[in-house]
Short mmCIF file of all heavy atoms in Angstrom, two decimals:
data_model
loop_
_atom_site.label_atom_id
_atom_site.label_comp_id
_atom_site.label_asym_id
_atom_site.label_seq_id
_atom_site.Cartn_x
_atom_site.Cartn_y
_atom_site.Cartn_z
N ILE A 735 8.73 5.26 22.45
CA ILE A 735 9.51 5.36 21.22
C ILE A 735 9.92 6.81 21.12
O ILE A 735 9.10 7.68 21.42
CB ILE A 735 8.64 4.92 20.01
CG1 ILE A 735 8.32 3.43 20.17
CG2 ILE A 735 9.33 5.19 18.68
CD1 ILE A 735 7.19 2.94 19.30
N PRO A 736 11.13 7.15 20.73
CA PRO A 736 12.14 6.32 20.07
C PRO A 736 12.89 5.40 21.01
O PRO A 736 12.88 5.58 22.23
CB PRO A 736 13.09 7.36 19.47
CG PRO A 736 12.99 8.53 20.40
CD PRO A 736 11.56 8.55 20.85
N GLN A 737 13.56 4.43 20.39
CA GLN A 737 14.43 3.51 21.09
C GLN A 737 15.72 3.35 20.30
O GLN A 737 15.68 3.12 19.10
CB GLN A 737 13.77 2.13 21.26
CG GLN A 737 12.55 2.14 22.14
CD GLN A 737 12.00 0.76 22.39
OE1 GLN A 737 12.62 -0.25 22.07
NE2 GLN A 737 10.82 0.72 22.95
N LEU A 738 16.84 3.45 21.00
CA LEU A 738 18.15 3.35 20.36
C LEU A 738 18.81 2.02 20.72
O LEU A 738 18.84 1.63 21.89
CB LEU A 738 19.06 4.50 20.83
CG LEU A 738 20.49 4.48 20.28
CD1 LEU A 738 20.51 4.72 18.77
CD2 LEU A 738 21.36 5.51 21.01
N TYR A 739 19.34 1.37 19.70
CA TYR A 739 20.11 0.13 19.87
C TYR A 739 21.50 0.35 19.29
O TYR A 739 21.64 0.92 18.21
CB TYR A 739 19.44 -1.04 19.14
CG TYR A 739 18.16 -1.47 19.81
CD1 TYR A 739 16.98 -0.76 19.60
CD2 TYR A 739 18.13 -2.55 20.68
CE1 TYR A 739 15.80 -1.12 20.24
CE2 TYR A 739 16.96 -2.92 21.31
CZ TYR A 739 15.80 -2.22 21.09
OH TYR A 739 14.65 -2.57 21.73
N VAL A 740 22.51 -0.10 20.02
CA VAL A 740 23.89 -0.03 19.54
C VAL A 740 24.48 -1.43 19.63
O VAL A 740 24.54 -2.02 20.71
CB VAL A 740 24.73 0.96 20.38
CG1 VAL A 740 26.18 0.98 19.90
CG2 VAL A 740 24.13 2.36 20.31
N LYS A 741 24.87 -1.96 18.48
CA LYS A 741 25.45 -3.31 18.38
C LYS A 741 24.56 -4.34 19.08
O LYS A 741 25.02 -5.18 19.82
CB LYS A 741 26.86 -3.34 18.98
CG LYS A 741 27.85 -2.44 18.26
CD LYS A 741 28.50 -3.13 17.09
CE LYS A 741 29.58 -2.25 16.50
NZ LYS A 741 30.50 -2.95 15.66
N GLY A 742 23.26 -4.22 18.85
CA GLY A 742 22.31 -5.19 19.38
C GLY A 742 21.85 -4.93 20.81
O GLY A 742 20.98 -5.62 21.32
N GLU A 743 22.42 -3.94 21.45
CA GLU A 743 22.10 -3.65 22.86
C GLU A 743 21.18 -2.43 22.96
O GLU A 743 21.44 -1.39 22.37
CB GLU A 743 23.41 -3.38 23.60
CG GLU A 743 23.26 -3.10 25.07
CD GLU A 743 24.59 -2.72 25.72
OE1 GLU A 743 25.63 -3.30 25.34
OE2 GLU A 743 24.58 -1.84 26.59
N PHE A 744 20.10 -2.60 23.73
CA PHE A 744 19.17 -1.48 23.94
C PHE A 744 19.84 -0.43 24.81
O PHE A 744 20.36 -0.75 25.88
CB PHE A 744 17.88 -2.00 24.60
CG PHE A 744 16.91 -0.91 24.97
CD1 PHE A 744 16.39 -0.08 24.00
CD2 PHE A 744 16.53 -0.73 26.28
CE1 PHE A 744 15.49 0.93 24.32
CE2 PHE A 744 15.63 0.27 26.63
CZ PHE A 744 15.11 1.10 25.65
N VAL A 745 19.84 0.81 24.35
CA VAL A 745 20.46 1.90 25.10
C VAL A 745 19.40 2.68 25.87
O VAL A 745 19.55 2.94 27.06
CB VAL A 745 21.25 2.85 24.16
CG1 VAL A 745 21.81 4.03 24.94
CG2 VAL A 745 22.37 2.08 23.46
N GLY A 746 18.32 3.08 25.19
CA GLY A 746 17.27 3.84 25.86
C GLY A 746 16.51 4.71 24.89
O GLY A 746 16.68 4.64 23.68
N GLY A 747 15.67 5.55 25.47
CA GLY A 747 14.86 6.49 24.69
C GLY A 747 15.54 7.84 24.61
O GLY A 747 16.71 7.99 24.97
N SER A 748 14.79 8.87 24.17
CA SER A 748 15.43 10.16 23.91
C SER A 748 15.93 10.84 25.19
O SER A 748 16.95 11.52 25.16
CB SER A 748 14.49 11.08 23.12
OG SER A 748 13.44 11.53 23.92
N ASP A 749 15.23 10.66 26.33
CA ASP A 749 15.70 11.29 27.57
C ASP A 749 17.04 10.70 28.00
O ASP A 749 17.96 11.43 28.37
CB ASP A 749 14.68 11.10 28.70
CG ASP A 749 13.43 11.95 28.49
OD1 ASP A 749 13.43 12.80 27.57
OD2 ASP A 749 12.46 11.76 29.24
N ILE A 750 17.14 9.37 27.93
CA ILE A 750 18.40 8.70 28.29
C ILE A 750 19.50 9.10 27.31
O ILE A 750 20.63 9.39 27.70
CB ILE A 750 18.21 7.17 28.35
CG1 ILE A 750 17.35 6.83 29.57
CG2 ILE A 750 19.55 6.44 28.38
CD1 ILE A 750 16.89 5.40 29.64
N MET A 751 19.14 9.14 26.02
CA MET A 751 20.12 9.57 25.01
C MET A 751 20.63 10.98 25.31
O MET A 751 21.82 11.24 25.22
CB MET A 751 19.50 9.54 23.60
CG MET A 751 19.29 8.16 23.03
SD MET A 751 18.45 8.23 21.43
CE MET A 751 19.71 9.02 20.41
N MET A 752 19.70 11.88 25.68
CA MET A 752 20.07 13.27 25.96
C MET A 752 21.02 13.34 27.15
O MET A 752 22.04 14.02 27.10
CB MET A 752 18.80 14.09 26.22
CG MET A 752 19.05 15.58 26.24
SD MET A 752 19.49 16.15 24.59
CE MET A 752 20.12 17.77 24.97
N GLU A 753 20.68 12.61 28.23
CA GLU A 753 21.55 12.60 29.41
C GLU A 753 22.93 12.06 29.06
O GLU A 753 23.94 12.63 29.46
CB GLU A 753 20.94 11.72 30.51
CG GLU A 753 19.79 12.37 31.24
CD GLU A 753 19.12 11.41 32.23
OE1 GLU A 753 19.81 10.52 32.75
OE2 GLU A 753 17.91 11.56 32.46
N MET A 754 22.96 10.94 28.34
CA MET A 754 24.24 10.32 27.96
C MET A 754 25.03 11.22 27.03
O MET A 754 26.26 11.27 27.10
CB MET A 754 23.99 8.96 27.31
CG MET A 754 23.50 7.90 28.29
SD MET A 754 23.18 6.34 27.46
CE MET A 754 24.86 5.75 27.15
N PHE A 755 24.33 11.93 26.15
CA PHE A 755 24.99 12.87 25.23
C PHE A 755 25.65 14.00 26.01
O PHE A 755 26.80 14.35 25.79
CB PHE A 755 23.98 13.40 24.22
CG PHE A 755 24.52 14.50 23.34
CD1 PHE A 755 25.50 14.24 22.41
CD2 PHE A 755 24.04 15.79 23.47
CE1 PHE A 755 26.01 15.25 21.60
CE2 PHE A 755 24.54 16.80 22.67
CZ PHE A 755 25.52 16.54 21.74
N GLU A 756 24.88 14.58 26.96
CA GLU A 756 25.37 15.72 27.72
C GLU A 756 26.58 15.37 28.59
O GLU A 756 27.46 16.20 28.80
CB GLU A 756 24.25 16.31 28.59
CG GLU A 756 23.21 17.05 27.76
CD GLU A 756 21.99 17.47 28.55
OE1 GLU A 756 21.79 16.98 29.69
OE2 GLU A 756 21.21 18.28 28.01
N THR A 757 26.64 14.13 29.10
CA THR A 757 27.75 13.73 29.96
C THR A 757 28.92 13.15 29.16
O THR A 757 29.97 12.85 29.72
CB THR A 757 27.30 12.66 30.99
OG1 THR A 757 26.89 11.49 30.28
CG2 THR A 757 26.19 13.16 31.87
N GLY A 758 28.71 12.96 27.86
CA GLY A 758 29.76 12.38 27.03
C GLY A 758 29.71 10.86 26.98
O GLY A 758 30.49 10.22 26.28
N GLU A 759 28.79 10.26 27.75
CA GLU A 759 28.70 8.80 27.81
C GLU A 759 28.31 8.18 26.47
O GLU A 759 28.76 7.08 26.14
CB GLU A 759 27.64 8.37 28.84
CG GLU A 759 28.08 8.40 30.27
CD GLU A 759 26.95 7.96 31.19
OE1 GLU A 759 26.76 6.74 31.34
OE2 GLU A 759 26.24 8.85 31.72
N LEU A 760 27.45 8.87 25.72
CA LEU A 760 26.99 8.30 24.45
C LEU A 760 28.15 8.19 23.46
O LEU A 760 28.33 7.15 22.83
CB LEU A 760 25.83 9.12 23.88
CG LEU A 760 25.01 8.45 22.79
CD1 LEU A 760 24.43 7.11 23.25
CD2 LEU A 760 23.88 9.37 22.34
N ALA A 761 28.94 9.25 23.37
CA ALA A 761 30.11 9.22 22.48
C ALA A 761 31.07 8.12 22.93
O ALA A 761 31.63 7.39 22.11
CB ALA A 761 30.81 10.59 22.48
#
Side-chain angles (χ1 to χ4, degrees):
I735 294 164
Q737 294 185 11
L738 177 67
Y739 289 80
V740 178
K741 298 274 186 163
E743 182 185 322
F744 175 61
V745 176
S748 72
D749 288 351
I750 289 171
M751 287 176 68
M752 192 68 194
E753 284 174 30
M754 290 178 73
F755 172 68
E756 287 172 347
T757 63
E759 281 180 82
L760 196 56

